[in-house]
Amino acid sequence: MRFILIFISILFIFNPSVSFAQTPAVTISGAVSEQTTKAPMPYVNVILKTEKDSVFVTGTVTDESGRYTLASVKPGSYRLEFSLVGYATEQQRLYVGSLTNFLDAGTVELAEDARLLNEVVVTGQQEGLSDKMDMKTFSVADNISQAGGSVLQAMQNLPGVAVQDGKVLLRGSDRVAVLMDGKQTAITGFGNQQGLDNIPASAIERIEIINNPSAKYDANGNAGIINIIYKKNKQEGFNGKAGFTTGLGALWVRRENLPTIRPQYQATPKINPSLSLNYRKGKVNAFFQGDYLYTETLNKNEFVTRTYNNGTVIQQQTKRNRNTTFITTKAGVDWNISNSDLLTVSGLFGSEKILDNGDEPFFNSNLSERYRLWQFLEDELKTTVVASATYQHKYRQPGHVLNLGFNYTFHREDEKYFFTNIRPTFTGQDSFKLLSDENVADLNLDYVRPLSYGRFEGGFKFRRRVIPTNMQFFPGLNSPIDSLAGGAATYAETIPAVYGNYVFENKKIEAEVGLRVEYVGLKYTVNPNHPTYKSDGYNYTQPFPNVRLAYKFNERNKLSLFYNRRVDRPNEVDIRIFPKYDDAEIIKVGNPALQPQFTSSVELGYRTNMNSGYFYTALYHRQVNGTITRIASTVPGDAGNPARANNLIYNIFQNAGRSYNTGVELVYTQTLSPALSFNLNLNGYRNQIDAFTVQNLYPVVNTFLVEKQELISGNVKLNTLIHLPKNLDAQLTAIYLAPDLIPQGRIDSRFSLDAGVKKTLRGGKDELFLNATDLLNTMVIKREVQGQGFSYTSADYNETQVVRVGYSRKF
C-alpha cells in the first residue's frame, strides 16, 4: 500500500498534466416543452450564465423539436435561463464537471404568463422553409385570399403547388400522398389524393408540403407528401372557436349553353359553419372539431370540338350542376398517464353527399342538327369512419421516445347513376349502382433516440387493406354499356415495412441517411364471368433509400443535396374493372394488370437567410419507370347498331414506360417594412414521356402507339401581404400556370388574381374577412388531345370566381 502511494505521488509530481492540463470541453443538451401540453417548444431562447456573477457565457435557441445544444462549455457552476414571449422565464442551476464530455440537462417546462398574454397580441406567419429544406409549412389562417373555401382551394396559393382537374400537382406531378395529422385516411386517399375539394379549410391549422420525405414516411407519392394538420387547442380550461362563412359563385354566365338544354347554375350559394371546442384540466385534454359545408357549384361547363379520322366533326357541351353536402366531426381525448406516458384516442366521422345534374348535347359542326341529348343524374353518398389510438412513452433523455399507434378506417361509396339518352328516333334510359366498402387497418411502431451529434429513428408498419366492390348495370334501349362487365371484385392488399433513419450534425456538416424496406402483396379477384378481365395482382419487396447531405457555409448560407426512391401503386379505382361513363361517348375502365411505377429523384438546394427574409432555389430531376397514365382510343362501331352510330372512346389506365421531370424552383420571401411583405415563387420544369406501345384489352384487343411527348412548363405565384392600420390585413395573390403536358396532349396557360381583407377585433379574438377568387374571371381550362382515331379541343368555363365573407370568434 505504501509503495502504491509513493508511486502515485511521483506520477503527480512529474506529470501534472494527468490531472490539471486536461480541461474538457463539455457539450450540454436538453429540451424545452410546454407545461400543460408537454409539446416541444421551438425558438426558445437558452442562455448560459455563470452562477456567481451572472456573466454571459453562451446562448442558442431551441430547434423545431424543442431541443438545444451548447458546445465547448468549461467545468464550473452555471445557471441556464429559458425565455419566450408569452411565457414565464425559467431558470435552472447546472454544474459542469470534468468526468464526461456530454451532459443531458433534461427537460424544462415553460408555463404561459397570463399577464403577458392578456396585454400583448403576437402576430406572425408560420409559413416558411424548414432548416433541412425538405418541407414548407403554411398556416391556413394566413391565407386571407382563399379563406372560407376548401383545402384544395387554399392550396392554390401555396408555393410549388398547382391545381388541375381537382388535384394538387407538386412540380408538375399529381402523384402526391396526402396525410391527415400524419396518417393516411380514406377521406384523402390511401394511394393518390382525393376529396380535397370537400374538406373545409376552416377545420385545418396548417399544411405541410414535403418534397423529399425521409424513410419514416410511407414510400408512395413520387412528387412528395402533403400533410394536413387539424386544429387543436392547447389552453387550460374550456375554450373554443366558432365561425360562419357564406358566399356566392358563378356570378356571370361566361359562355352561353348550346341550344335545347337546361340552364347552368348561377349565383351558387356556399355555407360553412364550424365549431372547435377544447377542455383541458389536469392530465386530461378533450377536443372536438365539427364542420358543415354546403355548396352549389357549376362544376363543369366544357365545350368540345371533336374530330374523327373519317372526317366527322362533333360539337359538344358537358354541363354539370353540383350540390355537395359535407359533414365532418373529429373528437378525442389526450390522457397524460404520467410525465412519461401519453395516450390519445380519437375518432373521425365524415359524410359526403353529392348530387350532379347534367346535360350533354351533341351537334354537327355548325350546330344546325342535334344528334343526341344525354342527361344524367349522379347520386353519391360517401361515409368515412376513422378510429385512432396512439401511445407515447418518453424516456428520461429528452427526445428519446417510443410511439405506438393503431388506425382503422372504414369508407363506403354508395353511388347511383341514371342516364337518359335522347336520340331522334328513340329514347333510352340506363342506370347502374356501385357499392364499395374499404377497410384499412394500420399498426405503427416508431422509435427515436438522440445521439451525441444527431439521432436515430427506426420503426415498423403493417397495413391490411380490403375493398369488396359490386357493380350492377341496368341497361336501357340500345345501351352501349356492357352489362356482362358488372358483378363483384375484391381488392386485397398487405404491406409490412421497416425503416431506419440516421441523422448527423456538426458545425459545418449535416447528413441524413435512411432506408425503408417494403413488401407489397396485392390480389385483385374478379368475377369469373367478366367478358375480358381475369383475377390478377402483383407482389414485390423493394428498398426505398433516402439521403440528405448539407454543408453550412455560415449561419446564413446552406447547400443541401437530396436523393430519394419512391413508388406509386395503382389505386383501387385505377384497376376497377367496371366500365363507367366519363361522358356519353367516353367510357372509363380500369386495368387489373396495371403495375406500380417507381421513381428515383435527386435535388440540389441552396438557401440564404437575409435580415428580413430568405432566398431558396432548388434544381431537381425525377425519373419514373412504368409511368401510370390513361390511354384514350376508339374501337370501330357497328353502323347497324343505333347505340354505336358514333365511335365510343375508351379511357384505360396503362403503364407507359419511362418519363422524366426536370426543373428549378425559386422562392423569395421578404418583409419590406412592418406594413408590407411578399412571397414570390417560380417553378419551371421540363416534362417528357418516352414513346411507348401498349395493348388495350377492353372491349376488344387493340394496340396503341404513342410518340414521345415533351414540353417545358411551370408556374409563377406572387403573394403580397399588407398590414393596414386598425388591425386590417390585405392579401393579393397572382397565379400564372404555363402550358403543360396531359395524357396524349397539352393544357393551355391559365391566370388568376385573388384578393382578400381581414380585420381582427377584441384583441385578436374575433376575425372578419372578405375575399374573392379569380377576380378577372380568366381561369379558363383549355385542352388539346390527339387520340387514336380522333382529336379534340376543349374549353372549360366552370365556376372559378367566388366571393366569400366570414366571421369567427374565440372564447
Side-chain angles (χ1 to χ4, degrees), residues 483-665:
S483 60
L484 297 177
T490 300
Y491 177 104
E493 179 184 69
T494 303
I495 308 178
V498 295
Y499 77 90
N501 201 48
Y502 172 69
V503 179
F504 170 84
E505 179 183 11
N506 63 22
K507 187 176 180 180
K508 287 291 185 181
I509 301 296
E510 293 178 4
E512 183 172 353
V513 180
L515 177 65
R516 189 179 189 91
V517 178
E518 179 182 84
Y519 168 81
V520 172
L522 173 69
K523 182 66 175 178
Y524 191 64
T525 305
V526 173
N527 171 16
N529 296 322
H530 194 280
T532 302
Y533 293 126
K534 305 302 178 186
S535 296
D536 212 324
Y538 60 83
N539 62 78
Y540 66 75
T541 301
Q542 290 279 348
F544 298 98
N546 71 277
V547 177
R548 182 181 72 89
L549 301 174
Y551 180 76
K552 294 176 281 189
F553 297 97
N554 49 48
E555 293 182 355
R556 290 177 175 263
N557 298 277
K558 181 189 288 188
L559 185 70
S560 285
L561 176 66
F562 298 89
Y563 170 78
N564 245 296
R565 184 173 187 264
R566 300 186 67 77
V567 64
D568 290 284
R569 299 181 293 271
N571 290 325
E572 186 268 337
V573 295
D574 297 342
I575 66 177
R576 190 178 283 177
I577 58 173
F578 312 119
K580 179 180 176 181
Y581 286 116
D582 256 1
D583 73 18
E585 296 184 355
I586 299 179
I587 305 297
K588 177 174 64 177
V589 188
N591 177 8
L594 199 63
Q595 297 291 305
Q597 65 175 27
F598 295 91
T599 302
S600 294
S601 62
V602 62
E603 176 178 326
L604 182 65
Y606 172 76
R607 170 174 175 158
T608 180
N609 293 323
M610 296 169 286
N611 291 334
S612 301
Y614 68 86
F615 174 77
Y616 161 76
T617 184
L619 300 173
Y620 57 89
H621 175 75
R622 290 196 296 254
Q623 176 181 303
V624 183
N625 293 321
T627 305
I628 296 175
T629 189
R630 181 172 282 177
I631 301 301
S633 61
T634 59
V635 177
D638 181 358
N641 185 345
R644 300 288 294 278
N646 296 106
N647 290 339
L648 290 175
I649 296 172
Y650 290 88
N651 270 336
I652 301 175
F653 278 106
Q654 294 282 4
N655 292 104
R658 286 189 176 181
S659 62
Y660 307 88
N661 173 253
T662 304
V664 57
E665 181 179 5

Side-chain angles (χ1 to χ4, degrees), residues 681-698:
N681 174 235
L682 294 89
N683 191 21
Y685 51 85
R686 176 179 176 271
N687 277 339
Q688 175 183 322
I689 303 176
D690 287 348
F692 64 93
T693 301
V694 295
Q695 189 178 72
N696 286 342
L697 299 181
Y698 191 87

Side-chain angles (χ1 to χ4, degrees), residues 184-444:
Q184 289 182 312
T185 73
I187 290 181
T188 55
F190 283 92
N192 253 5
Q193 53 185 293
Q194 64 184 37
L196 293 176
D197 203 25
N198 296 318
I199 300 176
S202 58
I204 306 304
E205 177 71 26
R206 67 183 186 275
I207 298 170
E208 298 172 344
I209 298 175
I210 309 171
N211 290 113
N212 294 281
S214 70
K216 70 179 180 180
Y217 292 99
D218 285 344
N220 58 301
N222 76 32
I225 292 173
I226 292 176
N227 189 19
I228 300 170
I229 309 297
Y230 260 79
K231 289 179 177 178
K232 188 176 178 182
N233 287 327
K234 301 176 181 179
Q235 299 177 1
E236 190 73 19
F238 178 76
N239 51 84
K241 183 178 181 180
F244 182 81
T245 300
T246 187
L248 290 175
L251 301 177
W252 320 100
V253 176
R254 304 170 76 186
R255 181 169 173 178
E256 295 287 348
N257 286 339
L258 296 184
T260 72
I261 70 171
R262 295 172 293 185
Q264 57 186 262
Y265 267 176
Q266 270 191 271
T268 53
K270 324 289 178 184
I271 300 172
N272 174 211
S274 63
L275 178 64
S276 174
L277 300 174
N278 199 85
Y279 179 74
R280 179 183 298 277
K281 187 174 182 180
K283 294 184 176 182
V284 176
N285 175 63
F287 54 89
F288 170 84
Q289 176 73 40
D291 290 85
Y292 173 86
L293 177 66
Y294 174 78
T295 65
E296 294 180 9
T297 311
L298 181 58
N299 180 260
K300 194 177 187 68
N301 193 26
E302 187 176 35
F303 294 80
V304 176
T305 299
R306 192 184 306 171
T307 304
Y308 290 90
N309 289 356
N310 60 10
T312 301
V313 177
I314 301 294
Q315 298 286 352
Q316 169 192 344
Q317 179 188 358
T318 303
K319 182 218 68 187
R320 184 162 59 216
N321 295 330
R322 171 167 290 183
N323 293 29
T324 303
T325 304
F326 189 82
I327 300 171
T328 177
T329 59
K330 182 179 181 181
V333 176
D334 299 322
W335 177 30
N336 289 282
I337 304 171
S338 68
N339 291 334
S340 301
D341 301 282
L342 172 66
L343 177 66
T344 299
V345 179
S346 64
L348 182 147
F349 172 81
S351 177
E352 180 183 2
K353 178 73 170 179
I354 300 176
L355 289 174
D356 284 341
N357 284 280
D359 297 78
E360 198 168 56
F362 297 80
F363 286 85
N364 62 355
S365 58
N366 61 9
L367 302 179
S368 61
E369 180 183 0
R370 191 184 78 183
Y371 295 135
R372 68 188 295 194
L373 172 62
W374 197 66
Q375 296 182 324
F376 60 90
L377 168 64
E378 298 186 17
D379 184 346
E380 303 180 33
L381 177 62
K382 299 180 180 181
T383 305
T384 304
V385 178
V386 180
S388 299
T390 60
Y391 167 77
Q392 182 182 76
H393 175 72
K394 296 181 180 179
Y395 296 87
R396 295 185 63 182
Q397 181 187 13
H400 187 187
V401 297
L402 176 70
N403 294 303
L404 179 65
F406 177 76
N407 199 62
Y408 172 76
T409 298
F410 171 80
H411 180 71
R412 167 167 286 184
E413 293 183 45
D414 188 350
E415 305 177 5
K416 306 178 186 67
Y417 303 83
F418 305 91
F419 309 98
T420 302
N421 185 23
I422 303 171
R423 294 271 194 172
T425 58
F426 70 89
T427 297
Q429 292 182 323
D430 290 349
S431 64
F432 54 88
K433 176 180 173 59
L434 172 69
L435 185 65
S436 173
D437 288 341
E438 184 172 15
N439 300 270
V440 186
D442 283 333
L443 179 65
N444 297 273

Side-chain angles (χ1 to χ4, degrees), residues 39-108:
M41 295 185 65
Y43 314 122
V44 175
N45 296 305
V46 183
I47 297 176
L48 184 70
K49 298 180 179 180
T50 60
E51 186 180 35
K52 182 178 180 180
D53 48 15
S54 297
V55 174
F56 176 85
V57 178
T58 185
T60 186
V61 295
T62 57
D63 62 16
E64 294 175 347
S65 62
R67 295 190 58 80
Y68 67 90
T69 301
L70 300 170
S72 302
V73 178
K74 296 180 180 180
S77 296
Y78 298 94
R79 188 174 68 251
L80 280 167
E81 290 185 0
F82 306 86
S83 62
L84 181 67
V85 174
Y87 289 83
T89 299
E90 289 288 337
Q91 296 188 2
Q92 177 184 347
R93 289 184 176 180
L94 182 70
Y95 174 75
V96 178
S98 57
L99 297 181
T100 180
N101 292 329
F102 298 93
L103 280 181
D104 182 358
T107 300
V108 172

